[in-house]
DNA sequence: CAGTGGTCTAGACCACAAT
DNA sequence: TTGTGGTCTAGACCACTGT
């Protein structure tokens, strides 16, 4: 059973996306929405709060709530950085993964710390190349603990690891911490992402968490600098 | 008058920061917090929701709420990406700004669109070099509309433009849309940020908004790639 | 079972903007 | 004054976890 505020959230988001509510236009006031969705004001508010935090709406006290006009005119693939399961979802599943390395190694101090396991515990060591329409775009190094995420195979890695974790293992992925930086490219980057030596990569270091608070994945995604950008919307409390 | 949920939010955040609530430890349940802060459960919940969204807490239904353990061990200056007024605030005001260009130009199509003004309307054209302890770290190109933000002078630009906008003009800065990408460096970058030709920059394109929904600033911040990284925490709804 | 968080209600009063 | 969003209450019932 989906929560009512999520239904309202999705419905209003749909209306914004499909221009039933137009950019900079006013949406119905909260009491009207309460009536329409047959819910209390707190519930409507919770739905609207989510949209405000996502940068789809802004509100003016005493005046109303309005649709944000967002401007993304870019020749790069623009990824909303709030999307947790970003990669395959943002591209509508038009991606393929090629497994370059798949082995078990002993966790070093950094991996152990970030996965909340002991140093020298075994971890999967995975290197994958992600492609869209056969164009390589991300070189991704991933570490996971086999004791938490058992049964990873090359076939799982070629498909969606996240689907495997949620659908097969029955866990729920809850959150992620992402650190973004620009780096000069190394030989692997240049080879697999078809970069010149002077061309950089955009690296995202990620720790992903299950809803029980346990970190299950530690990864470094090195993006072709020219094909990608990440957009974030932030509001002040 | 500060809202009660913000007081609770700040108090609990303080306790986490000062280790009164320890990493991975459980914090008091919501009813206890209601009693302590003499408030209703919805109010306590709202405060906790903010902390969950910031990645300081996680909750397990049926069990309790716990302090997130965050890992940031880096040799770069790590900026929490949700900080709106990032630059000077994150570095505790140890920054200086050197104004390299300050002129008026006619808005081109892109600037006009992002500042929600007409093409060829006048805009401030500002180029500043930001320094920490005399080390250059960001080259920042900024466009603003003089009709919305009047009275910008070189002195304002050397200090905090955001303080000027909020304290002197009496506006409230509400939100920002930020797009992050890696770029090869150009001659200006190399000169001012002291980069080799093969070294990249991390560019953040930003549109900043007032609380009335108007965009007031359109900027490109080109960061020295080796000195910076940005960390974001995202949760699934 | 008791204890926890997740959702929801039906109001209330306040702050702010436009008229 | 009216209409809007901002905050807050005092409950209620549900879902999940551990004993």
């Amino acid at each position: 059973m989906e929560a009512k505020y999520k239904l309202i959230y999705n419905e209003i988001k749909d209306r914004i996306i499909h221009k039933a509510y137009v950019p900079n236009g006013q949406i119905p006031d909260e009491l009207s929405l309460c009536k329409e969705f047959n819910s209390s004001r707190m519930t409507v508010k919770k739905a609207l709060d989510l949209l405000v935090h996502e940068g789809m709406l802004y509100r003016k006290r005493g005046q109303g709530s309005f649709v944000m006009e967002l401007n993304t005119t870019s020749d790069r693939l623009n990824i909303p950085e709030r999307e947790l399961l970003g990669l395959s979802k943002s591209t509508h599943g038009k991606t393929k993964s090629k497994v370059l390395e798949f082995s078990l190694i002993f966790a070093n101090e950094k991996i152990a710390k970030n996965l909340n396991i002991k140093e020298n515990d075994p971890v999967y060591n995975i290197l994958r190349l992600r492609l869209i329409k056969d164009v390589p775009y991300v070189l991704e190094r991933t570490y996971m603990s086999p004791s938490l995420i058992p049964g990873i195979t090359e076939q799982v890695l070629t498909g969606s690891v996240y689907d495997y974790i949620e659908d097969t293992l029955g866990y729920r992925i809850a959150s992620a911490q992402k650190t973004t930086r620009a780096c000069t490219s190394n030989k692997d980057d240049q080879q697999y992402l078809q970069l010149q030596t002077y061309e950089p990569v955009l690296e995202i270091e990620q720790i992903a968490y299950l809803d029980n608070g346990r970190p299950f994945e530690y990864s470094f995604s090195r993006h072709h600098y020219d094909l990608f950008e990440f957009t974030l919307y932030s509001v002040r409390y």
Side-chain angles (χ1 to χ4, degrees), chain A:
Chain A
M1 176 53 190
E2 181 110 90
K4 196 185 267 191
Y5 75 88
K6 286 183 187 170
L7 293 174
I8 300 173
Y9 158 83
N10 282 315
E11 175 59 26
I12 293 179
K13 190 171 185 173
D14 258 20
R15 292 180 190 176
I16 293 171
I17 289 169
H18 297 112
K19 311 276 182 187
Y21 296 152
V22 301
N24 286 317
Q26 186 168 2
I27 71 167
D29 66 273
E30 297 178 350
L31 287 178
S32 306
L33 292 171
C34 290
K35 280 176 199 156
E36 175 182 351
F37 293 107
N38 188 32
S39 70
S40 75
R41 196 162 155 231
M42 288 300 274
T43 302
V44 164
K45 225 167 223 316
K46 189 159 181 173
L48 297 186
D49 280 345
L50 293 179
L51 293 163
V52 168
H53 275 273
E54 275 183 31
M56 315 226 22
L57 288 180
Y58 60 95
R59 293 193 269 210
K60 302 194 215 182
R61 179 188 288 210
Q63 293 175 264
S65 300
F66 305 83
V67 178
M68 255 294 183
E69 183 170 40
L70 289 192
N71 314 286
T72 45
T73 48
S74 175
D75 45 356
R76 306 185 192 209
L77 179 58
N78 192 293
I79 315 251
E81 210 164 351
R82 292 261 181 229
E83 307 267 309
L84 254 193
L85 315 177
L87 316 150
S88 25
K89 305 281 174 188
S90 295
T91 52
H92 303 43
K94 287 173 197 157
T95 67
K96 281 194 288 188
S97 290
K98 189 172 164 188
V99 179
L100 303 175
E101 288 178 37
F102 178 37
S103 63
L104 283 170
I105 60 170
F106 300 103
N108 64 26
E109 187 189 342
K110 192 174 172 189
I111 295 172
K113 189 179 172 205
N114 287 316
L115 287 179
N116 200 22
I117 58 178
K118 293 202 195 72
E119 211 173 323
N120 295 321
D121 277 1
V123 288
Y124 298 121
N125 169 44
I126 301 155
L127 184 65
R128 282 183 298 173
L129 183 64
R130 308 294 202 106
L131 307 106
I132 305 181
K133 295 178 188 165
D134 299 316
V135 178
Y137 70 107
V138 182
L139 190 60
E140 193 171 301
R141 170 79 61 183
T142 307
Y143 305 102
M144 289 185 288
S145 164
S147 64
L148 182 59
I149 312 290
I152 293 287
T153 62
E154 216 167 304
Q155 199 192 340
V156 171
L157 294 177
T158 305
S160 168
V161 176
Y162 291 162
D163 283 351
Y164 173 76
I165 289 170
E166 296 216 304
D167 301 343
T168 306
L169 296 182
Y171 292 136
R172 172 144 175 101
I173 296 166
S175 62
Q177 180 193 310
K178 300 178 189 184
T179 300
T180 304
R181 57 181 80 93
C183 304
T184 54
S185 56
N186 60 33
K187 289 209 168 140
D188 274 358
D189 302 325
Q190 290 154 23
Q191 179 189 340
Y192 290 114
L193 299 176
Q194 296 165 14
L195 291 166
Q196 302 298 314
T197 53
Y198 64 89
E199 292 181 312
V201 295
L202 184 66
E203 179 179 86
I204 298 190
E205 177 180 351
Q206 173 171 285
I207 306 165
Y209 298 86
L210 299 176
D211 70 351
N212 60 13
R214 288 199 62 175
F216 71 94
E217 183 199 69
Y218 181 43
S219 67
F220 294 83
S221 299
R222 294 172 73 89
H223 297 72
H224 191 293
Y225 81 111
D226 220 3
L227 303 177
F228 278 95
E229 62 188 18
F230 294 85
T231 296
L232 170 70
Y233 186 82
S234 48
V235 262
R236 233 163 135 185
Y237 297 136

